[in-house]
Amino acid sequence: MIAPSVLAADFGHLEREVQLVDRSEAAWVHVDVMDGRFVPNISFGFPVLRAVRRATTKPLDVHLMIVEPERYVARFAHDGADWVTFHLEATEDPLHCIHLIRESGAKVGVSIKPKTDVEALRPILDKVDMVLIMSVEPGFGGQKFIPESLDRIRALRAMADVVNQDLLIEVDGGISSENAHLLFEAGANVLVAGSSVFKAEDPEAEIHAMLEAR
Ligand code: DX5
Ligand code: ZN
């Protein structure tokens, strides 16, 4: 699956940009929320999420790069998130966070930054629907893919084979049709792509090319 990230879209024409994804072969729309504390950048919040929600019927995959995610997960689900992903590094109590997301009716994702050991996920791996492996430092679009991420995906897939065979692995940062095949080969199920899609001359063709890489 491909999940284009609206962070790289033209916000002056957000509806048009989201509709472009809606028409395409992409499975989900990825929505990056940044609070200026967990990451050194601020993106957008609830009103923009609601505008994205109105522009597509595809599932919204909300990636929370915010501290104390437990304070807000239910509100993101209420405002249109089908998937709510929080950062393991951002909370003292991941189990509580998972519980709150489940209670809200959304699917549960947990994300780790490039320097966090995948082993840190082991205690909660059977309790989540998805793990999002960051393949760049979170906070900004348009960065270069970190090649070591491939080994991290393989290690996570091996762990999941034992405790949670249905686990989806999503990867985010520096992904395009150039490296998509490496990620699918390593065991990823969902690829997030911001700049490669929205800055492409033909975004739908770029999405198609990434899927062809499987
Ligand atoms: C980065 C965000 C990404 C970002 C990816 O912190 O989580 O989703 O939009 O952008 P590209 O695909 O340009 O690396
Ligand atoms: Zn993201």
Side-chain angles (χ1 to χ4, degrees):
M1 290 184 272
I2 305 295
S5 164
V6 293
L7 188 66
D10 175 355
F11 291 111
H13 301 98
L14 186 58
E15 185 181 32
R16 188 184 76 195
E17 297 275 77
V18 176
Q19 284 169 348
L20 179 156
V21 177
D22 192 69
R23 282 195 303 273
S24 77
E25 292 172 88
W28 300 343
V29 179
H30 186 83
V31 179
D32 288 303
V33 177
M34 303 177 183
D35 66 353
R37 293 187 62 206
F38 183 70
V39 291
N41 197 12
I42 298 177
S43 58
F44 48 73
F46 303 109
V48 173
L49 173 64
R50 290 196 296 270
V52 175
R53 179 69 290 168
R54 287 193 296 271
T56 181
T57 55
K58 294 202 173 182
L60 298 188
D61 170 34
V62 175
H63 176 193
L64 298 179
M65 287 160 272
I66 65 174
V67 297
E68 298 178 65
E70 44 280 284
R71 292 176 63 187
Y72 296 105
V73 289
R75 237 179 113 185
F76 281 104
H78 177 266
D79 279 8
D82 298 279
W83 289 79
V84 176
T85 296
F86 65 96
H87 266 268
L88 189 61
E89 305 90 349
T91 178
E92 305 261 279
D93 193 351
L95 288 177
H96 181 51
C97 212
I98 291 168
H99 170 77
L100 291 173
I101 299 172
R102 284 246 179 269
E103 226 179 20
S104 75
K107 294 278 194 183
V108 180
V110 60
S111 183
I112 53 171
K113 300 201 274 186
K115 293 193 187 88
T116 302
D117 193 342
V118 289
E119 278 296 324
L121 294 164
R122 198 182 282 278
I124 57 166
L125 209 54
D126 62 337
K127 296 173 184 66
V128 299
D129 303 301
M130 179 165 78
V131 169
L132 168 53
I133 297 270
M134 285 307 299
S135 46
V136 299
E137 284 298 334
F140 300 90
Q143 303 180 74
K144 209 172 139 322
F145 178 79
I146 300 171
E148 288 74 23
S149 310
L150 295 170
D151 282 336
R152 293 159 60 70
I153 298 163
R154 287 187 202 102
L156 176 61
R157 182 49 77 197
M159 266 165 68
D161 279 344
V162 182
V163 292
N164 184 355
Q165 279 139 23
D166 299 327
L167 183 83
L168 291 182
I169 300 180
E170 182 176 47
V171 191
D172 185 1
I175 299 173
S176 71
S177 53
E178 299 285 302
N179 56 11
H181 66 285
L182 298 172
L183 294 151
F184 284 130
E185 261 164 40
N189 307 100
V190 190
L191 306 185
V192 177
S195 334
S196 63
V197 167
F198 285 101
K199 312 286 185 239
E201 205 143 302
D202 185 347
E204 290 184 58
E206 175 64 11
I207 291 165
H208 183 74
M210 280 190 267
L211 282 171
E212 284 289 289
R214 278 168 306 175

